[in-house]
Amino acid sequence: QVQLVESGGGLVQAGGSLRLSCAVSGRTFSSYTMGWFRQAPGKEREFVAAISRTGGSTHYADSVKGRFTISRDNAKNTVYLQMNSLKPEDTAVYYCAVDRISRTVVVVVSYEYGYWGQGTQVTVSS
């Protein structure tokens, strides 16, 4: 059974930083692309960042480029999202996800991800 457990969310002032973690079990972590998505109230879930199996390739949404950094530690089966210069519009529930198949390319659409965490709330106050 695949399980993803996110942590690290919270309340932060605009301009601050948070680091999200997502621990994965039940799958060969190093064989799959990992992604972060977010969903704000009243909005659809949107792509934030993704990282390839080895960590050598990453992709970011334009809205977070230059502020967020995705990374992974395959020895710890964990993916991270370092969020700097946070803005109120970054407020959302953040989800990590595992690609549904093992592939070399980084995917950015939610339907290509087969397993999801429960989400962690990030609130940025102005």
Side-chain angles (χ1 to χ4, degrees):
Q1 183 179 358
V2 180
Q3 288 190 317
L4 294 82
V5 179
E6 299 107 333
S7 60
L11 173 64
V12 64
Q13 288 189 332
S17 298
L18 283 174
R19 188 194 195 203
L20 305 184
S21 300
C22 174
V24 180
S25 61
R27 204 159 220 207
T28 307
F29 180 75
S30 60
S31 296
Y32 297 91
T33 293
M34 293 295 300
W36 285 96
F37 292 76
R38 67 186 182 186
Q39 187 167 18
K43 295 187 177 181
E44 293 187 353
R45 189 171 297 187
E46 65 174 0
F47 169 77
V48 176
I51 187 167
S52 63
R53 300 179 300 186
T54 63
S57 180
T58 57
H59 190 80
Y60 297 91
D62 287 343
S63 59
V64 307
K65 204 171 293 183
R67 300 188 297 122
F68 290 11
T69 302
I70 188 171
S71 61
R72 66 190 297 162
D73 185 337
N74 285 347
K76 296 182 178 179
N77 287 5
T78 301
V79 62
Y80 305 96
L81 186 67
Q82 177 67 44
M83 304 185 296
N84 299 329
S85 302
L86 282 161
K87 305 175 181 180
E89 51 263 43
D90 294 319
T91 295
V93 177
Y94 283 71
Y95 300 89
C96 66
V98 181
D99 196 343
R100 60 181 183 84
I101 63 173
S102 179
R103 57 188 129 194
T104 57
V105 297
V106 175
V107 293
V108 302
V109 290
S110 60
Y111 59 78
E112 292 290 1
Y113 287 82
Y115 299 92
W116 295 79
Q118 81 288 352
T120 186
Q121 177 71 48
V122 171
T123 302
V124 184
S125 63
S126 57

